[in-house]
Amino acid sequence: MKLKNLICLIYIGILMSSFSVFGQLKMPALFSDNMILQQEMETPVWGWASKNTEVTMQTSWDNKTYAVRTDKTGKWMLKISTPSYGGPYEIEVSSKNEQVKIKNVMIGEVWLCSGQSNMEMPLKGFPGQPVLGGNEEIVHSTNKNIRLITIPRDSKVVDNQDFQGEWKEASPAATANFSATAWYFGSLVQEVINQPVGLIHVSYGGSNVEAWMSAEMLKDFDSISIPKTEKDIGDPNRTATALFNGMLSPAIGYGIKGAIWYQGESNYDRPFQYKFLFEKMVREWRKLWGQGEFPFYFTQIAPFDYSVFKTGEKPIDKYNSAYIRESQLKASKEITNSGMAVLMDVGEKDNIHPQDKEKGGQRLAFLALAKTYGINGFEYQSPEFKGMETKGSTLIISFDNVPNGITSYGKEVSGFEIAGADKVFYPATVVLRRKSVMISSPQVQNPVAVRYLFTDFARAQIFSTGGLPLSSFRTDNW
């Protein structure tokens, strides 16, 4: 009898373990061990269970129990109250005889990090393309208060509900393969605010902006084709809606503080359209998240010789990447609660992936620390063209965002061009003043327009004394 009872108990144990493996209760990858939840908000949590059944959730930070019923598809969603930053905590989710326990949960600040290859480039670098100082940064990257998760590459014509991935505590093994730009951003934010930080990385090299937009967002852009079946997806990173569906969708609604973005290179040949696409994308992302106008900080693309991508015997002028930098600069004025990090000093003529990822990540962090977290005492915005005054044959160009003036670090300044009514530009002689420059050319007696580094590749000439470079710009619309 004892043997029969033992066999029975073993059999029951096998059945119970099989039930837990093959049961219906399931949490998305975003809700897993080591995760970070955005602090002090009613944050959405969702998952799947048997249809029309009750799901309960208990949070250890307040021992509060939440309950919700699944819909006819088995999907459920509820909102839980998160406290001020802290942890680690646990979350228990139950339905019928099933239970999922999520361990080592932190409460803090969560940022979405998206874009193309310069966001995707890991701290260890791409094959044959290093990240400057990346190896040393990896060695020093252990930090239990920084959590990382990457949504893998995928392209779809319908929304993905989940992905294969997991949250990881920052450590050399985790950070080596994580976005360098996102890491430099998140690690500086975490150091300064001294709170846990979570980074959700979702990017795809070579992607254009419309790949990160839904069909609804693109309905007013007649020139952009929307795939109807998987067979219609050509290049997955350059097919409209494909990455929105395949990669972004599983993250939509997850509680975040804000987003950072590094993209634009793959739209360099459509600079005038890009501004409208980008602005629409940000507006619609915010609507989908339903968390108000969350902060959105982005990088202006770095200078690069795009002639390698041009076809035909003669380069087409509009493909000059200065036009898309200009488009991004204009967008920064139109997108509320945003900011742009200028990278005129990190570009490499023959490499579209600048080695210096620290400057981009840190400048994005400067924007967040100043504009989102209210920390002051440092410069966080690059100088910007303010106005132009004509005195005879000399133009005086003034700038905004230069509280302590401008500098060329003792170097002679080139890169300014001026033109008269004939629209012919000539190199200008430049005299730096504290917060302005005086420019002139003997070939232009009556100047009406100025351009600064308005070319594909150029190296930054003028900086604020805080080390932030002046963006390329032009005063004409020719």
Side-chain angles (χ1 to χ4, degrees):
M1 181 65 70
K2 291 182 179 179
L3 181 59
K4 287 183 179 180
N5 287 340
L6 179 60
I7 293 173
C8 184
L9 288 172
I10 294 173
Y11 181 66
I12 291 172
I14 292 171
L15 283 177
M16 291 299 291
S17 63
S18 298
F19 188 81
S20 65
V21 173
F22 299 106
Q24 298 297 311
L25 182 61
K26 181 179 183 295
M27 299 296 293
L30 279 172
F31 300 99
S32 57
D33 292 350
N34 307 314
M35 68 185 291
I36 286 192
L37 289 173
Q38 178 59 39
Q39 66 177 318
E40 298 180 322
M41 75 176 298
E42 297 294 309
T43 186
V45 181
W46 62 89
W48 302 270
S50 300
K51 63 181 181 179
N52 300 317
T53 60
E54 185 177 76
V55 174
T56 61
M57 175 180 292
Q58 186 174 54
T59 51
S60 72
W61 54 83
D62 56 7
N63 292 316
K64 188 173 180 179
T65 299
Y66 302 81
V68 66
R69 292 194 71 84
T70 61
D71 63 20
K72 61 183 179 181
T73 69
K75 181 77 178 286
W76 59 270
M77 191 276 283
L78 52 77
K79 291 187 176 182
I80 61 175
S81 299
T82 55
S84 180
Y85 66 93
Y89 299 109
E90 290 186 354
I91 298 174
E92 290 187 4
V93 185
S94 303
S95 178
K96 292 185 176 180
N97 295 320
E98 301 174 273
Q99 185 182 83
V100 173
K101 182 176 286 188
I102 305 173
K103 303 174 182 178
N104 196 23
V105 177
M106 299 299 288
I107 307 293
E109 298 291 88
V110 181
W111 287 84
L112 182 76
C113 315
S114 188
Q116 60 179 110
S117 57
N118 275 305
M119 180 63 82
E120 187 178 35
M121 191 175 191
L123 205 50
K124 70 179 183 182
F126 288 141
Q129 298 183 52
V131 167
L132 191 65
N135 197 52
E136 294 80 0
E137 187 71 16
I138 290 168
V139 171
H140 293 95
S141 64
T142 298
N143 189 332
K144 292 185 177 181
N145 282 316
I146 300 179
R147 306 295 172 87
L148 317 169
I149 190 168
T150 295
I151 299 178
R153 289 180 170 189
D154 200 1
S155 58
K156 290 284 188 294
V157 294
V158 294
D159 293 351
N160 258 351
Q161 299 297 303
D162 200 6
F163 60 92
Q164 294 293 318
E166 61 182 352
W167 285 95
K168 298 178 180 179
E169 292 183 353
S171 68
T175 57
N177 295 294
F178 193 75
S179 162
T181 297
W183 169 258
Y184 282 117
F185 165 83
S187 60
L188 182 55
V189 169
Q190 195 281 319
E191 176 187 351
V192 175
I193 68 172
N194 195 27
Q195 299 174 18
V197 169
L199 304 173
I200 302 172
H201 172 225
V202 49
S203 60
Y204 196 138
S207 57
N208 51 33
V209 69
E210 57 264 37
W212 298 102
M213 301 172 70
S214 69
E216 177 66 21
M217 296 177 197
L218 293 167
K219 65 181 182 180
D220 296 328
F221 297 90
D222 296 335
S223 62
I224 296 176
S225 299
I226 309 299
K228 293 181 172 58
T229 69
E230 300 292 334
K231 292 181 180 179
D232 296 330
I233 298 177
D235 293 330
N237 53 349
R238 295 174 185 268
T239 300
T241 75
L243 304 184
F244 175 90
N245 294 327
M247 299 175 66
L248 190 70
S249 286
I252 292 175
Y254 191 91
I256 60 174
K257 186 69 169 187
I260 60 172
W261 174 260
Y262 194 154
Q263 190 276 335
E265 295 92 343
S266 289
N267 288 87
Y268 81 99
D269 57 342
R270 290 174 287 136
F272 306 114
Q273 182 191 53
Y274 182 82
K275 174 180 180 291
F276 301 102
L277 285 167
F278 182 41
E279 290 174 359
K280 183 69 174 289
M281 186 199 81
V282 176
R283 286 197 306 271
E284 297 303 313
W285 277 22
R286 286 170 168 170
K287 288 179 184 178
L288 289 171
W289 252 267
Q291 296 171 17
E293 293 189 340
F294 57 73
F296 196 102
Y297 304 124
F298 62 97
T299 60
Q300 185 186 58
I301 64 171
F304 167 70
D305 183 4
Y306 280 82
S307 65
V308 297
F309 296 145
K310 298 173 185 177
T311 59
E313 296 181 0
K314 186 177 181 180
I316 301 174
D317 185 50
K318 74 171 184 176
Y319 286 0
N320 172 1
S321 60
Y323 287 106
I324 200 159
R325 296 198 300 268
E326 177 186 62
S327 184
Q328 292 174 311
L329 181 60
K330 289 180 177 179
S332 71
K333 308 300 182 187
E334 299 294 330
I335 300 171
T336 58
N337 199 15
S338 72
M340 185 182 75
V342 176
L343 300 179
M344 294 298 296
D345 54 338
V346 305
E348 299 175 33
K349 184 175 182 180
D350 301 315
N351 184 5
I352 201 170
H353 303 129
Q355 296 178 48
D356 189 345
K357 288 291 182 286
E358 184 175 14
K359 283 190 175 70
Q362 288 192 345
R363 287 169 187 171
L364 290 168
F366 290 167
L367 290 164
L369 291 168
K371 300 184 70 172
T372 300
Y373 297 108
I375 298 169
N376 54 40
F378 63 95
E379 293 186 19
Y380 63 94
Q381 298 179 100
S382 274
E384 291 183 6
F385 169 77
K386 178 180 181 180
M388 179 175 69
E389 180 184 356
T390 304
K391 287 192 174 181
S393 60
T394 298
L395 292 178
I396 300 174
I397 309 299
S398 57
F399 305 102
D400 280 326
N401 304 332
V402 286
N404 201 38
I406 58 174
T407 182
S408 66
Y409 293 106
K411 297 179 181 179
E412 183 177 345
V413 176
S414 59
F416 279 95
E417 298 175 299
I418 59 175
D422 60 0
K423 302 182 181 181
V424 178
F425 282 90
Y426 295 92
T429 300
V430 182
V431 176
L432 258 68
R433 305 201 298 185
R434 192 168 72 88
K435 293 188 177 183
S436 63
V437 295
M438 300 174 61
I439 58 176
S440 61
S441 170
Q443 295 160 299
V444 183
Q445 294 304 307
N446 297 296
V448 298
V450 60
R451 292 183 174 187
Y452 169 70
L453 301 185
F454 209 78
T455 185
D456 238 0
F457 177 76
R459 298 189 186 280
Q461 303 285 306
I462 293 177
F463 301 77
S464 70
T465 56
L468 302 178
L470 171 67
S471 168
S472 55
F473 70 89
R474 60 175 176 154
T475 63
D476 65 276
N477 60 2
W478 303 334

